[in-house]
Every structure is written in C-alpha cells, then in structure tokens.
C-alpha cells in the first residue's frame, strides 16, 4: 500500500513540475513582448488577455505584428514630413 502511495505522490509531483515549467515558459515569452506591443495586442484581441493565449499568439504571429507596427510608423513619419 505504501508503495502505491509513493508512486501516486511521485506522479503528482511530476505533474506539478511540468505545469510550473510550462508557466515559467509562458511568463518568459510574455515578458519578452515590448509593453506597447503587448497593450496593442490585448486591445485588438480581447481573447489574448489570458496569458497562455497571449504567449501562443506572440509565438505564432509576433513577427507579423512587429512588421505591421513598423509599417505604420514609417507611414506616420512620411505623413509628418509631407505636412511640414
């Protein structure tokens, strides 16, 4: 009986360690997102308020979001130069 309890306890500890590692990975991804980009993603996509969804979105589409923002900034600079 004690043997089965040890096995069950080992499995529970292993599951908790895997969850902790996953959470640390997700937190590292979210921390790597610049603040203004993170706020913009959350404003445009309310489903990304969940930290896991935000991390998954950044991993899958982060490059395209950065490119889009760079294009918008370039357009705004051109517009300002045109106005001057």
């Amino acid at each position: 009986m004690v043997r089965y309890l040890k096995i069950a306890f080992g499995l529970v500890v292993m599951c908790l360690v895997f969850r902790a590692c996953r959470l640390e990975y997700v937190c590292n991804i979210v921390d790597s997102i610049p603040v203004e980009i993170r706020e913009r993603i959350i404003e445009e996509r309310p489903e990304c308020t969940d930290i896991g969804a935000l991390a998954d979105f950044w991993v899958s589409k982060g490059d395209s979001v950065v490119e889009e923002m760079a294009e918008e900034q370039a357009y705004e600079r051109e517009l300002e130069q045109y106005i001057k």
Side-chain angles (χ1 to χ4, degrees), residues 12-81:
V12 168
V13 168
M14 193 168 57
C15 289
L16 291 175
V17 168
F18 284 137
R19 283 187 171 198
C21 289
R22 170 74 177 143
L23 182 60
E24 182 180 359
Y25 171 73
V26 167
C27 289
N28 288 339
I29 291 174
V30 171
D31 287 342
S32 72
I33 305 172
V35 176
E36 61 275 354
I37 294 176
R38 185 180 330 148
E39 289 173 357
R40 182 173 176 174
I41 291 172
I42 292 172
E43 285 175 10
E44 292 178 359
R45 293 175 169 69
E47 69 273 6
C48 288
T49 54
D50 176 43
I51 191 170
L54 179 60
D56 291 339
F57 178 80
W58 181 251
V59 168
S60 64
K61 298 182 181 174
D63 294 334
S64 63
V65 171
V66 172
E67 287 177 18
E68 180 182 315
M69 287 187 72
E71 289 174 3
E72 287 178 7
Q73 290 173 350
Y75 176 74
E76 288 174 3
R77 275 187 252 124
E78 287 179 17
L79 188 59
E80 287 176 5
Q81 289 176 356

